Amino acid sequence: MKTIIEPFKIKMVEPIKMTTREQRNNIVLAAGHNPFLIRAEDVLIDLLTDSGTSSMSDRQWAELMMGDESYAGSRSYFKFEETIRDITGYEYIIPTHQGRAAERILFSITTKEGDIIPNNTHFDTTRANIEYNKALALDLVTAEGRDPETRLPFKGNIDIEAVGKLLEGTSLSRIPMGMMTVTNNASGGQPVSMANIRAMSELLHSKGIPFIFDACRFAENCYFIKTREPGYEDKSLKDIAREMFSYGDGCTMSAKKDAFANMGGFLALNNKEWADKAKTLLILTEGFSTYGGLAGRDLAAIAQGLKEILEEDYMQYRVRSTAYLGDNLERVGVPTFVPAGGHAIYIDAKRMLPHIPPKHLPGQALCVELYLEAGIRAVEIGSVMFGKTDAETGDFVPGQNELVRLALPRRVYTQSHMDYIIEALENLSKRKDEIRGMQFDYEAPILRHFTSTFSWV
Ligand SMILES: *Cc1c(COP(=O)(O)O)cnc(C)c1O
């Protein structure tokens, strides 16, 4: 069969609300042309993020009912620990309320002022937590990985040569760890090859430096290895995951991504000294080491979700439906970051709207038009998010790219939703020359994308 179907049937539904264009006009105006300020109820299809927005399965809901809410040593914790140990092989499993809590604990106990932590591309919370400890978060993704138009299988790879140079030219006591984000969220959701992971591991370990994964989308990365890297086609996703984690010394994880949970995360480590320090800090700010700020039922649902994410039928559907959206956008003339990543399609607003200069925020304009056209919410990843106004000169400093991310929540939307999104963007593409740029009305001093407001130029 050529048709890839959603490998589930629907047992419970959540109605979504259609709005008229006139209603959407008013909604957008009231929200200051910022999709973050629109009420979710007024959104028909919400592609703002894949984080915490997944549908849980009947089995996960059953686990919620069976959650053990004991303060210490709960049965649900041991299920959680056993499942994560089984997949990662790591010894110490520390639950946290989100991925960023795992990051904060990890960097607080390992990282000091002046340190450097290389990664393919640091996600924004990872970078922020490293910088908070006055250390440098260094992005060393390969040059191809930065180019939206090159079609290569593993554009999430780190530049091994650049890591080598860093290790040669820096006192090793300033590099507490090396990292790898799988898949590389901040860089098109692109995967990393096993060969690249192995090379990074060998290089770091030859200098005695620990290797930590940012594992938020580890299962999607494993599926790309299975389907794109020779030698892995007959291996199970779990075996691939086990091999991948075996090259590292630990990981941080947001269960809001590849664990189908609405909240949660963990830090997994092999180093006992680090784990002991992490648990002390966990107890201080998150909770006792067998719940870490989560309810017992959450731990149980995460454990079940981690088993389901490694099912091949699911992952085939997941990666194929993301590619379906990407391929069809390309067919209707909407330029995207290629090839399609695992969890999102990134529209290249710079190429789609070449008449709008970066200082008139083409990505923001496209996000607002997409909402007006069809009630779809996306997020700008361009000059609004990553650009700035120079504090001294007042000059506009653009972001590296002008992208609009369509993130796909897991097991939430069906193929007809994808067809609707494609049609909306095709309509926009046909009248793209009429789309105007935007300017700031209110420019928030930090994290501008969340609270700034805009108007048409
Ligand atoms: C989401 C994410 C995080 C942070 O996780 P939260 O649960 O949102 O705190 C870290 N790294 C990557 C790659 C992510 O996608």
Side-chain angles (χ1 to χ4, degrees):
M1 294 294 294
K2 285 201 296 285
T3 307
I4 308 289
I5 61 165
E6 286 85 5
F8 48 80
K9 54 185 180 174
I10 295 166
K11 190 179 280 196
M12 189 191 282
V13 296
E14 178 181 345
I16 48 180
K17 195 174 80 182
M18 296 277 182
T19 45
T20 63
R21 182 171 263 271
E22 194 190 340
Q23 286 170 327
R24 291 196 291 277
N25 263 326
N26 293 332
I27 290 164
V28 148
L29 217 55
H33 297 93
N34 183 346
F36 278 99
L37 302 178
I38 297 175
R39 285 178 184 230
E41 246 187 359
D42 293 329
V43 175
L44 184 67
I45 297 183
D46 203 345
L47 308 181
L48 193 67
T49 178
D50 66 319
S51 178
T53 52
S54 301
S55 291
M56 291 205 296
S57 65
D58 52 357
R59 274 151 218 242
Q60 284 181 288
W61 282 101
E63 287 294 335
L64 287 185
M65 296 302 295
M66 295 188 291
D68 174 2
E69 304 304 337
S70 304
Y71 190 96
S74 98
R75 186 180 62 240
S76 302
Y77 171 73
F78 290 110
K79 238 182 216 179
F80 176 88
E81 181 189 50
E82 191 190 324
T83 307
I84 296 166
R85 252 194 213 148
D86 183 40
I87 295 170
T88 64
Y90 299 141
E91 182 62 24
Y92 304 103
I93 311 299
I94 298 164
T96 59
H97 79 276
Q98 284 197 236
R100 69 196 67 185
E103 292 169 347
R104 186 188 67 85
I105 291 172
L106 176 65
F107 301 129
S108 301
I109 62 173
T110 57
T111 305
K112 59 185 188 309
E113 184 167 352
D115 282 357
I116 303 173
I117 298 181
N119 197 336
N120 46 2
T121 313
H122 288 278
F123 182 66
D124 57 6
T125 59
T126 322
R127 168 176 293 282
N129 274 295
I130 291 170
E131 290 175 353
Y132 188 75
N133 287 288
K134 301 190 169 60
L136 178 70
L138 190 62
D139 291 339
L140 294 176
V141 71
T142 58
E144 309 88 78
R146 292 177 203 269
D147 174 9
E149 296 181 64
T150 331
R151 215 174 270 277
L152 286 169
F154 292 107
K155 281 170 78 174
N157 281 356
I158 200 164
D159 183 341
I160 294 291
E161 208 174 302
V163 180
K165 274 194 197 134
L166 173 74
L167 300 191
E168 291 305 323
T170 317
S171 154
L172 295 182
S173 67
R174 286 179 58 204
I175 307 178
M177 74 192 78
M179 292 187 76
M180 195 87 106
T181 306
V182 293
T183 59
N184 194 358
N185 183 11
S187 196
Q190 299 292 315
V192 180
S193 71
M194 194 72 91
N196 193 247
I197 289 167
R198 208 180 295 121
M200 178 75 166
S201 170
E202 281 166 12
L203 183 56
L204 291 171
H205 288 157
S206 74
K207 306 280 185 185
I209 297 171
F211 180 22
I212 303 292
F213 289 100
D214 178 339
C216 294
R217 298 182 184 75
F218 75 99
E220 289 176 6
N221 202 91
C222 289
Y223 186 77
F224 282 117
I225 288 174
K226 182 179 169 82
T227 51
R228 292 182 182 177
E229 193 162 351
Y232 290 93
E233 47 284 84
D234 296 328
K235 296 214 160 96
S236 72
L237 292 179
K238 188 161 153 197
D239 285 344
I240 296 171
R242 289 205 67 139
E243 179 180 342
M244 182 182 88
F245 286 117
S246 77
Y247 297 124
D249 305 289
C251 69
T252 58
M253 169 85 186
S254 169
K256 301 173 73 173
K257 323 290 171 55
D258 270 0
F260 291 120
N262 303 117
M263 191 49 71
F266 58 85
L267 173 62
L269 294 169
N270 271 341
N271 179 321
K272 180 167 188 318
E273 197 189 320
W274 281 14
D276 286 343
K277 283 187 188 166
K279 281 185 204 167
T280 304
L281 197 53
L282 185 84
I283 292 171
L284 205 63
T285 60
E286 298 272 315
F288 186 62
S289 53
T290 60
Y291 74 88
L294 294 171
R297 54 179 172 270
D298 292 333
L299 297 168
I302 291 167
Q304 175 60 28
L306 285 169
K307 289 179 188 149
E308 293 174 14
I309 203 86
L310 290 167
E311 283 169 11
E312 227 152 272
D313 285 351
Y314 162 74
M315 201 49 85
Q316 180 188 42
Y317 139 80
R318 170 70 169 167
V319 166
R320 285 287 289 270
S321 45
T322 307
Y324 176 85
L325 178 59
D327 292 348
N328 279 287
L329 288 183
E330 197 168 304
R331 179 179 59 75
V332 301
V334 175
T336 61
F337 195 111
V338 294
H343 69 294
I345 294 296
Y346 298 69
I347 300 170
D348 190 346
K350 206 184 264 181
R351 271 189 290 152
M352 180 167 172
L353 305 171
H355 60 287
I356 305 180
K359 78 170 182 326
H360 288 159
L361 314 173
Q364 190 70 19
L366 187 57
C367 281
V368 174
E369 285 284 357
L370 186 57
Y371 178 77
L372 286 172
E373 177 71 23
I376 299 164
R377 175 155 71 171
V379 64
E380 192 257 21
I381 300 189
S383 288
V384 175
M385 195 180 272
F386 290 120
K388 60 180 184 196
T389 302
D390 190 296
E392 274 166 30
T393 63
D395 287 346
F396 169 83
V397 183
Q400 195 188 334
N401 287 310
E402 302 295 339
L403 302 173
V404 167
R405 188 181 74 177
L406 309 173
L408 301 177
R410 295 167 186 75
R411 302 192 292 213
V412 172
Y413 297 118
T414 64
Q415 185 169 346
S416 65
H417 291 112
M418 295 303 122
D419 289 334
Y420 176 90
I421 298 162
I422 294 157
E423 186 181 340
L425 278 154
E426 183 174 20
N427 293 347
L428 287 185
S429 180
K430 283 181 189 151
R431 58 176 180 83
K432 62 185 175 191
D433 296 339
E434 296 159 23
I435 296 177
R436 279 178 299 158
M438 304 212 82
Q439 62 203 2
F440 282 95
D441 276 351
Y442 161 68
E443 185 186 341
I446 47 161
L447 296 170
R448 316 196 281 183
H449 50 294
F450 289 126
T451 52
S452 295
T453 58
F454 306 87
S455 58
W456 296 109
V457 172

